[in-house]
Amino acid sequence: MEKLIITAAICGAEVLKEHNPAVPYTVAEIVREAKSAYDAGASIIHLHVRYDDGTPTQNKMRFKECIDAIKVVIPDVIIMPSTGGAVGMTNDERLQPTELDIEMATLDCGTCNFGGDDVFTNTENTIKYFGKRMIERGIKPELEVFDKSMIDMALRLAKKGFIELPFHFDFVMGVNGGIDGTLRDFTFLRHSIPEGATYTVAGIGRYEFPLAAVAIIDGGHVRVGFEDNVFLSKGVLAKSNGELVAKVVRLANEFGREIAKPDEARRILEMKAHDRLK
Ligand code: KMH
Ligand code: ZN
């Protein structure tokens, strides 16, 4: 079995300091959280950025400021900016981080409800537009799927040349409006991706650690972090993203799964951009 790639989704666009005071907004806080996750064993940082008051933004310069500052303290980490941004942003607003020299980015593969009145919109043409941009820029897409139909969309658009192989999926499970986080639903997604594709699983809220354990055993990879869950255990807030990552590392140790360093993650995911960016 390949080593385990741990992604830390350190910030997100929706979670606030009111949910957990350690949620990062400022550049310094984002660096602190990225480093805590890396030191604990994360090889990929899934990055959203905020203004200092917590407002989510896809502003290219804010991303550059955060990425440069992270790279000063952890130069070899893989940084995967969001192209999802926050609900309601335009496509071109969301795509701004792809104008920077980045190795990897998220590519959201369908539309879904996102709690309350929010709809996270990713039409077929949006996905084609984003996919094409990532091919042109040599950016490895992590295919975010919130439901099984989004896997089907990714497979179809790959056949038409909008998504480059090999596939790497992220099963985001437990969003209010997406697929549930049950073992049955995990198995459904797991068996819906092609042979040879890689996947990571991001369980939302209470689903985070049970799904992490399942992916560790199954040979998949794991995403944790404040974007998805702010609790270390029931009722106990995590003090940092690093604490969440450290819990995954403990689970992996129990099951005898080694942890991938960033360069090992690049090899496992067949990423090509790193040499270009050196
Ligand atoms: N903030 C969500 C609406 C991504 O990063 O690509 C979308 C999201 C997905 O977080
Ligand atoms: Zn995200």
Side-chain angles (χ1 to χ4, degrees):
M1 204 177 273
E2 288 282 15
K3 291 186 181 179
L4 177 71
I5 301 169
I6 303 174
T7 298
I10 59 171
C11 178
E14 291 82 21
V15 67
L16 299 170
K17 284 190 192 290
E18 284 79 355
H19 303 120
N20 183 325
V23 170
Y25 296 165
T26 67
V27 177
E29 288 169 348
I30 282 180
V31 172
R32 181 199 71 212
E33 286 306 305
K35 185 163 184 338
S36 82
Y38 173 89
D39 288 346
S43 50
I44 302 178
I45 302 297
H46 169 48
L47 191 64
H48 289 253
V49 298
R50 312 283 186 95
Y51 289 120
D52 288 355
D53 67 358
T55 307
T57 175
Q58 290 291 101
N59 179 281
K60 184 169 89 175
M61 294 322 293
R62 186 67 168 185
F63 262 101
K64 183 168 171 18
E65 205 184 341
C66 290
I67 292 170
D68 289 349
I70 292 171
K71 288 281 185 179
V72 168
V73 292
I74 41 174
D76 69 329
V77 77
I78 299 167
I79 300 181
M80 177 175 64
S82 172
T83 66
V87 166
M89 290 178 173
T90 66
N91 287 350
D92 288 327
E93 198 178 355
R94 286 166 51 181
L95 272 174
Q96 288 179 77
T98 64
E99 293 165 21
L100 302 170
D101 279 335
I102 56 170
E103 299 179 75
M104 197 175 187
T106 57
L107 174 52
D108 295 278
C109 292
T111 294
C112 65
N113 284 331
F114 221 76
D117 290 324
D118 286 344
V119 180
F120 182 37
T121 305
N122 296 282
T123 66
E124 179 169 342
N125 286 341
T126 293
I127 303 162
K128 287 178 172 172
Y129 183 47
F130 282 37
K132 204 159 158 269
R133 167 73 62 88
M134 291 188 201
I135 290 172
E136 283 162 8
R137 301 276 302 148
I139 297 168
K140 170 95 184 176
E142 179 177 87
L143 305 167
E144 309 297 308
V145 298
F146 297 77
D147 221 328
K148 195 270 188 183
S149 60
M150 299 191 195
I151 295 177
D152 301 330
M153 174 71 90
L155 302 187
R156 205 158 51 75
L157 295 189
K159 272 197 195 135
K160 294 184 174 175
F162 291 97
I163 295 170
E164 216 165 47
L165 271 50
F167 292 110
H168 176 60
F169 291 93
D170 177 22
F171 304 151
V172 186
M173 304 185 66
V175 167
N176 286 336
I179 199 165
D180 201 6
T182 62
L183 192 52
R184 181 199 64 168
D185 290 350
F186 167 81
T187 307
F188 183 37
L189 297 184
R190 167 73 188 92
H191 292 289
S192 300
I193 62 174
E195 190 79 24
T198 53
Y199 77 87
T200 192
V201 67
I204 304 300
R206 66 193 167 90
Y207 293 121
E208 185 162 84
F209 292 109
L211 287 171
V214 171
I216 289 167
I217 296 164
D218 182 56
H221 303 284
V222 173
R223 169 175 127 174
V224 292
F226 290 156
E227 179 167 347
D228 303 332
N229 164 52
V230 294
F231 293 101
L232 190 59
S233 56
K234 195 168 182 200
V236 180
L237 287 175
K239 291 191 186 71
S240 66
N241 278 277
E243 276 199 343
L244 299 170
V245 173
K247 183 162 172 173
V248 176
V249 171
R250 287 198 297 279
L251 289 171
N253 287 341
E254 287 296 328
F255 293 115
R257 187 105 184 258
E258 290 181 72
I259 308 300
K261 298 274 185 214
D263 274 343
E264 292 169 323
R266 290 183 176 96
R267 180 190 55 73
I268 293 166
L269 300 180
E270 299 185 38
M271 291 169 60
K272 298 178 197 138
H274 193 48
D275 293 338
R276 166 172 65 75
L277 298 179
K278 272 183 186 159

